[in-house]
């Protein structure tokens, strides 16, 4: 007999409880979920995006261009900033509270006796795919969660495979070298499905070329930036992302005109990507050294030689030293708040790294995000809030006056 329907809060509590199963890379569970839920996306085209940095922005750009042209679009991204519902959108609208509750109730009942038990991300992916199938979307922009080859999203047959710049991140699961990481990302390449890639390091490019040749897949490296019209997201790297998004749409043979590209790129809503909260406050989710270097470059583009009061919080499994060393040249001082994520590195540990980097910057540990913001506003410098998308989400909820709306994100 089916158990009672879960409320939205109960459904999320159950879903987050699956964190105890950790991260398990593999496609067996997601394929079983797709079959048992009778998910049929054959009427929809799929753009599958992997990479280290920029894949969420590329997906958001694709989605915005599609909607500008009048397509019914599906967008799947991770992690979320404030609410879980951000991960799954149809035509820009987040999945409803009721759809999350009903979908997760059905999934809970379906998998109660499964062994191995599906993980948080497998369940989330299945929920998204079912929602897109039910909504009869025309095209899905599908962002990988971790890696590519064994990521749950790789159970879907795409119309084009897209690879954003590959760098170091998630080494515990993906490998210690660029070649090893690239092999996991290039695992999204399918037989005779076109591939579009950003410019890569030589080691990554070689791996992508070999995989595409093995799969007899056409391969295009996008080397030029998009400079023709305004992009609502700041930073020169977003021009590369835009060029990649446009190339992906064309490789998938999706009919898009120039006015839709212009309109779509001008009105992307993608928070915590060099987001200007006000004249002196920037929020960015950079969470690895490569992203932090791009953030520092964008800071210089916008603020010149002006240095920031840096508010920094990083998850414990990230390369904090690399992130900090990339950001220190644009910072005048550092605030290290205690944040709500259970995965956050302790501010005291981050302080040890700051003290060891020459020249050491002045820093303070604060008890909360609110205290860090108050102290930063008392200084004349512009403010840079960064280190984690999870942290960015907590900050955005606080600044919007709804700290209780923040749904802590584990993955």
């Amino acid at each position: 007999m089916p158990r009672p329907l879960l409320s939205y809060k109960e459904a999320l509590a159950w879903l987050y409880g699956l964190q105890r199963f950790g991260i398990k890379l593999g496609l067996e569970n997601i394929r079983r979920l797709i079959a048992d839920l009778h998910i049929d996306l054959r009427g929809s085209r799929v753009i599958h995006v992997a990479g280290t940095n920029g894949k969420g922005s590329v997906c958001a750009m694709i989605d915005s261009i599609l909607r500008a042209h009048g397509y019914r679009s599906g967008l799947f991204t991770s992690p979320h900033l404030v609410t879980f519902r951000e991960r799954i959108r149809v035509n820009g609208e987040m999945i409803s509270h009721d759809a999350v509750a009903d979908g997760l109730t059905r999934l809970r009942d379906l998998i109660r006796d499964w062994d191995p038990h599906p993980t948080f991300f497998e369940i989330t992916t299945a929920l998204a795919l079912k929602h897109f199938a039910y909504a009869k979307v025309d095209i899905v922009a599908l962002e990988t969660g971790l890696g590519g080859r064994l990521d749950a999203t790789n159970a879907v047959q795409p119309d084009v495979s897209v690879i954003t710049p590959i760098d170091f991140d998630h080494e515990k699961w993906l490998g210690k070298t660029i070649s090893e990481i690239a092999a996991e990302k290039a695992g999204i390449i399918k037989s005779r499905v076109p591939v579009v890639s950003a410019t890569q390091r030589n080691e990554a490019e070689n791996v992508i070329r070999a995989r595409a040749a093995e799969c007899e897949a056409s391969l295009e490296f996008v080397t030029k930036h998009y400079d023709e019209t305004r992009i609502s997201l700041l930073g020169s790297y977003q021009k590369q992302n835009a060029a990649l998004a446009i190339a992906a749409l064309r490789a998938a043979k999706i009919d898009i005109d120039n006015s839709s590209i212009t309109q779509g790129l001008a009105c992307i809503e993608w928070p915590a990507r060099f987001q200007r909260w006000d004249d002196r406050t920037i929020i960015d989710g950079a969470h690895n050294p490569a992203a932090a270097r791009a953030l520092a470059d964008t800071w210089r583009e916008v603020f010149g030689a002006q240095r920031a009061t840096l508010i920094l919080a990083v998850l414990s499994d990230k390369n904090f030293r690399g992130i900090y060393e990339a950001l220190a040249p644009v910072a005048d001082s550092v605030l290290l708040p205690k944040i709500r994520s259970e995965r956050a590195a302790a501010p005291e540990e981050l302080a040890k790294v700051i003290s060891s980097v020459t020249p050491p910057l002045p820093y303070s540990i604060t008890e909360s995000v609110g205290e860090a913001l108050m102290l930063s506003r008392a200084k004349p410098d512009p403010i840079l809030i960064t280190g984690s998308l999870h942290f960015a989400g907590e900050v955005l909820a606080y600044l919007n006056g709804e700290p209780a709306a923040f749904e802590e994100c584990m993955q």
Side-chain angles (χ1 to χ4, degrees):
M1 180 177 176
R3 288 179 283 180
L5 282 175
L6 297 168
S7 68
Y8 176 74
K9 286 187 176 180
E10 291 168 340
L12 279 194
W14 171 78
L15 180 63
Y16 285 153
L18 301 183
Q19 303 290 345
R20 68 184 184 275
F21 296 106
I23 294 172
K24 295 177 183 175
L25 297 177
L27 302 180
E28 294 81 6
N29 273 340
I30 188 64
R31 285 172 175 156
R32 186 177 174 187
L33 285 166
I34 289 170
D36 287 9
L37 291 170
H38 307 291
I39 295 171
D40 185 359
L41 286 173
R42 284 176 294 182
S44 307
R45 285 178 282 183
V46 175
I47 300 174
H48 194 195
V49 183
T52 303
N53 293 312
K55 57 185 185 290
S57 294
V58 169
C59 285
M61 290 174 173
I62 289 168
D63 178 72
S64 189
I65 293 168
L66 290 173
R67 287 189 283 122
H69 196 82
Y71 288 109
R72 186 167 174 78
S73 66
L75 177 64
F76 179 60
T77 57
S78 62
H80 63 264
L81 292 171
V82 177
T83 171
F84 172 84
R85 296 166 52 229
E86 297 167 24
R87 295 169 179 251
I88 304 168
R89 303 176 193 243
V90 171
N91 269 2
E93 294 293 323
M94 293 188 291
I95 186 172
S96 69
H97 291 90
D98 287 347
V100 172
D102 293 349
L104 291 181
T105 299
R106 181 176 180 183
L107 281 158
R108 177 200 62 175
D109 294 342
L110 174 66
I111 66 167
R112 70 172 77 178
D113 299 320
W114 283 26
D115 185 23
H117 199 286
T119 64
F120 171 97
F121 191 73
E122 288 168 339
I123 292 295
T124 301
T125 302
L127 177 69
L129 297 178
K130 185 66 176 177
H131 187 64
F132 296 148
Y134 178 78
K136 293 182 169 53
V137 298
D138 298 316
I139 305 161
V140 177
L142 193 65
E143 179 190 359
T144 56
L146 181 64
R149 181 175 65 93
L150 298 175
D151 186 78
T153 59
N154 207 28
V156 176
Q157 180 66 21
D159 291 81
V160 61
S161 302
V162 184
I163 303 177
T164 68
I166 294 171
D167 217 297
F168 290 102
D169 203 1
H170 301 297
E171 292 95 325
K172 177 180 176 181
W173 292 280
L174 304 181
K176 302 293 186 184
T177 68
I178 291 295
S179 294
E180 289 173 332
I181 295 169
E184 294 301 317
K185 307 286 187 184
I188 70 166
I189 298 174
K190 307 286 197 308
S191 178
R192 299 185 179 181
V193 172
V195 183
V196 176
S197 172
T199 302
Q200 304 286 354
R201 297 186 187 205
N202 288 338
E203 310 97 294
E205 180 178 334
N206 292 339
V207 169
I208 292 167
R209 286 190 183 280
R211 173 65 182 173
E214 177 187 343
C215 293
E216 298 181 356
S218 64
L219 172 60
E220 175 189 0
F221 283 96
V222 178
T223 57
K224 293 183 179 179
H225 289 192
Y226 179 83
D227 283 314
E228 295 173 29
T229 60
R230 188 181 76 86
I231 303 171
S232 63
L233 303 180
L234 296 174
S236 59
Y237 64 94
Q238 295 292 8
K239 296 179 180 181
Q240 179 188 42
N241 288 336
L244 195 60
I246 295 164
L249 289 163
R250 289 176 174 155
K253 295 182 170 56
I254 295 168
D255 183 29
I256 293 291
D257 57 34
N258 288 335
S259 64
S260 299
I261 292 171
T262 298
Q263 181 183 340
L265 292 177
C267 63
I268 308 156
E269 294 182 6
W270 199 231
R273 279 75 178 181
F274 210 86
Q275 178 183 358
R276 293 200 81 147
W277 178 259
D278 55 34
D279 286 344
R280 58 184 293 232
T281 308
I282 300 294
I283 304 170
D284 193 279
H287 57 272
N288 57 51
R293 289 191 294 270
L295 170 56
D297 288 342
T298 305
W299 180 272
R300 294 183 187 97
E301 290 173 21
V302 175
F303 290 98
Q306 197 171 12
R307 290 174 174 256
T309 297
L310 180 62
I311 305 180
L312 193 60
V314 179
L315 301 188
S316 58
D317 61 341
K318 298 297 182 179
N319 179 357
F320 174 69
R321 178 177 288 275
I323 293 169
Y324 175 71
E325 287 178 344
L327 296 173
V330 300
D332 185 60
S333 62
V334 189
L335 295 169
L336 303 170
K338 294 179 181 177
I339 65 171
R340 288 165 56 181
S341 174
E342 293 179 6
R343 290 173 55 202
E348 293 78 8
E349 293 301 312
L350 307 186
K352 291 178 184 176
V353 175
I354 291 173
S355 298
S356 71
V357 174
T358 304
L361 293 177
Y363 68 85
S364 299
I365 294 173
T366 71
E367 289 299 314
S368 66
V369 165
E371 183 185 354
L373 288 167
M374 180 185 69
L375 291 173
S376 67
R377 287 166 175 164
K379 300 182 179 186
D381 300 326
I383 302 162
L384 176 56
I385 302 166
T386 190
S388 163
L389 284 166
H390 308 259
F391 174 42
E394 182 176 345
V395 170
L396 286 169
Y398 180 89
L399 290 172
N400 281 315
E402 298 180 327
F406 175 63
E407 298 166 2
E408 184 187 338
C409 172
M410 296 294 188
Q411 293 181 22

